[in-house]
Amino acid sequence: MTAVNTEVDARYFCSAAAERPELWQKLARRQFIHSTLGKGRICGVDLVNNSIPKIHVQLGSKEATLTPKILENGSYTLLLPVSLAKICGVVPSKGREPKIDPSPKTPTDVAIAIPIVKLRCVACKQYGGPGLILSNGDFYHTQCYESLLASKVKLESTLRSLPYCSASSLVQWVSRTFNTLGYQVYVSTAKKQELAKVKIRAIWDFWPTYPPDWEDRRQDALNSSWYCEFCHSFQDLHVHHSDPLSKGGSNESDNLIVLCSVCHLKEHGVKSFDNSRGSRKSKFESAVEKIQSAIEARRSLSFTYSKFKEPDERRNISPLRIESFPHQRKNGETTCVVGFCHTRNANRVFSIKRMSRINIK
């Protein structure tokens, strides 16, 4: 008789295996589902010190090694026999879908019962409060950001008023030689100004749209590469985001390439550029704002979700939090929303750049 398998969130299995390490061996030859990459199979499990296993998986033609930490990121669902699901504390409902026992009566109760993780401001390192989310999933308080800008302007003004600004000035040379108090103030102020610039630039690196220092970044890219990287033309050069801003791409130099106007138009698939696009919100920024509003108001979201080589699906979720997860096929991270999916009756992770037609219900 064939055993009946049920879907189990990998995090529940990891919690059970933390107390019973022998459960790891039961994963061998089991199937799993990744939220974006589809189905795969666990080839084997290597136990290290009988507590920290390495899990070898096969996904299509690719092989990889997972750890419990990777499994716990919310992207993996294990297909386990009902008997093993019960050991993990998950009881199958209607023979297929798992749910935690005891479970609340309605899906809405499930979403409310799970604590919302507050985001940490990248500037002040404090949790919670009003603010905005960057394209990499980081969060900043509006007040902290404005304070940083004001501090930078004030420090720049102070430096300009000091007689030590010119590296060739006699005053600076003498002061530096004898390490006078005035020169120490200058050095201290310059360090504070540089620190403020670094913090602000770190925020602008992942600005959801064109950052305030976009012209400087564009000029730096043009200075470093003075021809089109596709056709090697020298005329009418533009700066292009490899990963588009609309899909959560960054403004870091690694994501900027130089293209001629012809190649740039082909890359975007348009006949001309809208000159006002830099002043508009990107698709990613608008999506994050809607998700944030739904989380704060404790309302559900409906959206169309696109998967690789799969038809688009309409999903309805109760969003819990926004979080970044490592890319599965390349370096870096992708920003996702974690929520209770009413379609699957389970917690799921959705990449924001794959979401469209988002509505708050």
Side-chain angles (χ1 to χ4, degrees):
M1 183 175 178
T2 305
V4 178
N5 289 337
T6 186
E7 293 185 13
V8 176
D9 191 317
R11 289 172 293 188
Y12 303 147
F13 182 91
C14 292
S15 298
E19 299 179 358
R20 299 179 57 182
E22 69 275 7
L23 291 180
W24 290 114
Q25 293 290 7
K26 295 184 180 293
L27 279 185
R29 302 177 68 95
R30 301 293 179 193
Q31 285 188 320
F32 68 91
I33 302 173
H34 187 268
S35 59
T36 58
L37 302 180
K39 288 188 176 182
R41 180 174 291 277
I42 297 172
C43 305
V45 180
D46 293 337
L47 287 177
V48 181
N49 298 328
N50 203 37
S51 61
I52 309 174
K54 290 184 178 179
I55 304 153
H56 306 286
V57 302
Q58 181 83 27
L59 185 60
S61 60
K62 296 183 179 180
E63 295 182 0
T65 301
L66 305 181
T67 63
K69 186 175 181 180
I70 295 175
L71 284 178
E72 288 178 342
N73 70 7
S75 300
Y76 290 88
T77 302
L78 302 174
L79 298 179
L80 303 178
V82 173
S83 58
L84 186 54
K86 289 182 178 179
I87 294 175
C88 299
V90 179
V91 180
S93 173
K94 298 181 181 179
R96 297 183 63 186
E97 296 291 342
K99 61 181 180 180
I100 304 174
D101 185 32
S103 61
K105 296 181 179 179
T106 65
T108 305
D109 293 335
V110 175
I112 295 175
I114 299 174
I116 296 175
V117 177
K118 293 184 178 180
L119 298 175
R120 188 181 187 186
C121 175
V122 295
C124 69
K125 308 302 181 184
Q126 299 297 316
Y127 289 93
L132 298 173
I133 291 181
L134 300 169
S135 62
N136 66 339
D138 282 344
F139 167 83
Y140 70 93
H141 293 127
T142 308
Q143 185 176 357
C144 292
Y145 171 67
E146 292 175 351
S147 178
L148 270 176
L149 289 179
S151 176
K152 175 176 172 287
V153 171
K154 184 178 179 180
L155 289 168
E156 288 174 348
S157 176
T158 302
L159 280 177
R160 284 194 297 268
S161 67
L162 294 173
Y164 308 97
C165 295
S166 173
S168 60
S169 71
L170 180 61
V171 174
Q172 187 189 41
W173 183 84
V174 173
S175 301
R176 183 174 56 199
T177 303
F178 294 99
N179 197 22
T180 64
L181 179 61
Y183 187 69
Q184 291 175 11
V185 172
Y186 166 78
V187 172
S188 175
T189 306
K191 286 182 179 179
K192 290 179 182 178
Q193 180 219 23
E194 188 60 31
L195 182 61
K197 286 171 63 176
V198 169
K199 288 183 177 180
I200 292 171
R201 187 173 179 85
I203 292 175
W204 287 347
D205 280 345
F206 300 100
W207 206 247
T209 182
Y210 289 88
D213 66 341
W214 172 246
E215 276 305 311
D216 294 335
R217 292 173 186 260
R218 188 181 73 85
Q219 197 57 51
D220 289 343
L222 292 173
N223 290 339
S224 63
S225 181
W226 39 277
Y227 57 85
C228 175
E229 296 190 25
F230 284 1
C231 69
H232 296 174
S233 170
F234 300 95
Q235 298 180 348
D236 197 9
L237 299 178
H238 295 188
V239 176
H240 169 71
H241 291 83
S242 296
D243 290 332
L245 292 175
S246 61
K247 294 185 177 181
S250 75
N251 294 293
E252 295 176 294
S253 58
D254 291 346
N255 194 42
L256 303 179
I257 61 173
V258 174
L259 300 178
C260 68
S261 58
V262 176
C263 292
H264 200 188
L265 288 169
K266 287 181 181 179
E267 192 69 9
H268 284 277
V270 296
K271 295 183 179 180
S272 62
F273 288 121
D274 182 356
N275 293 328
S276 65
R277 62 180 181 160
S279 61
R280 296 201 317 251
K281 289 182 180 178
S282 68
K283 175 185 173 183
F284 178 85
E285 187 178 11
S286 299
V288 167
E289 285 188 0
K290 284 186 178 180
I291 295 169
Q292 275 189 293
S293 299
I295 292 174
E296 292 169 1
R298 298 210 170 206
R299 296 172 64 182
S300 60
L301 287 172
S302 63
F303 56 89
T304 300
Y305 196 65
S306 303
K307 284 188 176 181
F308 184 65
K309 292 185 178 180
E310 291 186 24
D312 292 353
E313 292 182 325
R314 195 70 184 167
R315 295 295 185 93
N316 183 21
I317 70 168
S318 294
L320 303 174
R321 63 184 182 273
I322 294 175
E323 191 174 340
S324 290
F325 294 96
H327 281 298
Q328 297 298 318
R329 287 179 286 183
K330 60 181 180 179
N331 295 329
E333 296 183 334
T334 184
T335 307
C336 304
V337 56
V338 181
F340 183 86
C341 179
H342 298 270
T343 307
R344 299 288 182 89
N345 196 31
N347 290 328
R348 287 290 187 267
V349 178
F350 300 94
S351 173
I352 294 178
K353 66 183 181 182
R354 295 180 179 273
M355 297 167 63
S356 61
R357 296 171 57 200
I358 303 173
N359 296 318
I360 300 177
K361 301 177 71 175

